[in-house]
Each structure stands twice: as structure tokens, then as C-alpha cells.
Amino acid sequence: QPQLVESGGGSVQDGESLRLSCVASGITFRTNSMGWYRRAPGKQRELVATISHIGVTNYADSVKGRFTISRDNDRSMVFLQMHNLKPEDTAVYFCNRAYWRTNPRPYDTWGQGTQVTVSS
């Protein structure tokens, strides 16, 4: 069963930066397209960024130019470098399988997520 553990969140002010990390196990990581999702209370889950198994990236318009997704297949890890954070980025961030399509097909098993709070 997939196991996903996110870390690196925190509380920052508008314009600051954070780097999120995710370590995956229970999957063949090297063949998985991975991504970051986020969920604000009372809102639907949103796909923020994806990175394919060969490193092709896609970003939601809301974060493009500010966030960078990367992966380390040797360590089964995926990262999200976030710059110029805005209050609207406040959410719990999750990693999971993610295809850049209408149904990104995350695994049913989710990690605990990591909270990002951005104050103005």
C-alpha cells in the first residue's frame, strides 16, 4: 500500500519562501508521475503541480512562476519549492500520484499533509 509522508510546511508572511518534501514508499516510484495537491478548509482539493517519471513538469496557473516541483528518484522523494508565497496559498499540502489531466488519479492512500499558512 502506498505510503506518503509530507514535511516542510510552516507559517510565513506574504512574500516568503518554503520548501516542501515528500518521501514515498510502497510504490514503484521511478515509474510514477507525482504531484502536489492542496486543500483549504471547506474547499475542494486542488492539483498544484506535477512532475512525470522523466521530469516533465506542469503547474496550475495560480502558482506558475512561483513554485518549482522536482524529484529525486534515488531517494523516492518529491519536492515543492515555493517562493513569493501569498495568503491564498494557505492550505494543507499533500503529495501523491498525479497526472496532468482531468482525473489525476491519486492513490487512495494519502499522507498526513503539511500545513502552509501565509499571513499578509
Side-chain angles (χ1 to χ4, degrees), residues 5-22:
V5 181
E6 302 91 347
S7 62
S11 297
V12 299
Q13 292 189 335
D14 194 353
E16 294 297 319
S17 299
L18 285 171
R19 190 187 193 221
L20 308 184
S21 299
C22 169

Side-chain angles (χ1 to χ4, degrees), residues 33-120:
S33 184
M34 300 296 295
W36 288 92
Y37 303 77
R38 66 186 181 187
R39 177 188 54 78
K43 296 184 178 180
Q44 292 292 106
R45 184 179 61 227
E46 174 189 21
L47 180 59
V48 173
T50 65
I51 182 165
S52 79
H53 69 295
I54 59 169
V56 178
T57 59
N58 286 285
Y59 299 92
D61 288 343
S62 58
V63 308
K64 193 168 186 176
R66 300 187 297 119
F67 292 9
T68 302
I69 188 170
S70 60
R71 67 190 294 156
D72 184 340
N73 287 341
D74 291 335
R75 299 161 63 196
S76 295
M77 294 187 73
V78 60
F79 308 94
L80 188 68
Q81 181 67 58
M82 305 184 294
H83 293 298
N84 193 23
L85 283 161
K86 304 175 180 180
E88 52 263 43
D89 297 317
T90 296
V92 180
Y93 285 71
F94 302 87
C95 64
N96 210 318
R97 182 173 65 180
Y99 298 100
W100 193 252
R101 55 186 64 174
T102 302
N103 181 3
R105 298 187 64 204
Y107 293 113
D108 289 339
T109 301
W110 295 83
Q112 81 286 358
T114 187
Q115 175 72 50
V116 172
T117 302
V118 186
S119 57
S120 60

